[in-house]
Amino acid sequence: MTLTPVRQSSLSDQVVDRLRSEIVEGRWPVGERIPPEPELMESLGVARGTLREALRALQYSGMLDIRRGDGTFVNARSEVPGALARSGGTLADVLEARAALEPQLARLAALRATAADITLIETALAQRAIAHPDHWASSDAFFHEAVARAAHNPILFEVYAALLPRLQESVEAAIRRSGFQVDDPRGHEEVLDAIIRRDPDAASASAAANLAATERWDLEERQGLATS
């Protein structure tokens, strides 16, 4: 344990800062369970009530997931996912956010992707092609995550990774609407091909075209509902 005791006069927000640093610096990886409460109380020198207040604050921020009877798990390395989850927003809002990130991530992936990155993108795309409808949205998100990872920009990846749950939710809602295309090659097969060919302009343009097509479909479908 790298934690040091907190003085008895400290407030719970100081405990939040200590716990947050363990997560942000990667000592507690995403998906793993953090140490149990008695161990944290001893390491930090705080009472159970103070610790639980700090844990609840980090749960609300989206960084921790408290599972009754199973422990507390790291959910994210920043508060961004929690903020996004509370932000609301429509499919159009999510598409605008994606449009600000995905073309640049695809461009960088075409410049920087390793052989292992390309293999992961190919695997993700193959899984997406055969995914059951109930799991198609998560397979689609996995593909986009693989492209984002291949960009090798840790800051952009953290921002995009925070958006992924909203991306998956929006796609899950979209595929239940009429006319949504699950086999559009733009942003998927064409992006992979451009990455393999090391063509950043083509990768960026294809990712942008895919999002633009989805934006048009969303607008036309909503306008059709409004006039029907």
Side-chain angles (χ1 to χ4, degrees), residues 1-15:
M1 293 287 292
T2 58
L3 299 173
T4 56
V6 175
R7 296 184 181 278
Q8 293 296 324
S9 59
S10 297
L11 300 174
S12 63
D13 58 351
Q14 293 179 278
V15 179

Side-chain angles (χ1 to χ4, degrees), residues 179-199:
F180 184 80
Q181 293 186 352
V182 299
D183 56 355
D184 191 333
R186 292 172 296 193
H188 302 95
E189 287 87 350
E190 289 182 3
V191 164
L192 173 59
D193 180 65
I195 291 172
I196 293 172
R197 291 187 288 106
R198 301 297 181 184
D199 189 336

Side-chain angles (χ1 to χ4, degrees), residues 119-131:
T119 297
L120 181 62
I121 297 170
E122 290 174 333
T123 300
L125 190 58
Q127 291 180 358
R128 178 180 178 274
I130 62 173

Side-chain angles (χ1 to χ4, degrees), residues 26 33 64 93 101 140 186 212:
R33 183 167 52 189
L64 291 179
D93 296 322
L101 295 171
D140 184 64
R186 292 172 296 193

Side-chain angles (χ1 to χ4, degrees), residues 13-31:
D13 58 351
Q14 293 179 278
V15 179
V16 169
D17 289 340
R18 297 288 182 87
L19 300 179
R20 183 190 290 112
S21 69
E22 297 297 299
I23 299 170
V24 171
E25 295 174 18
R27 289 189 287 270
W28 293 346
V30 173

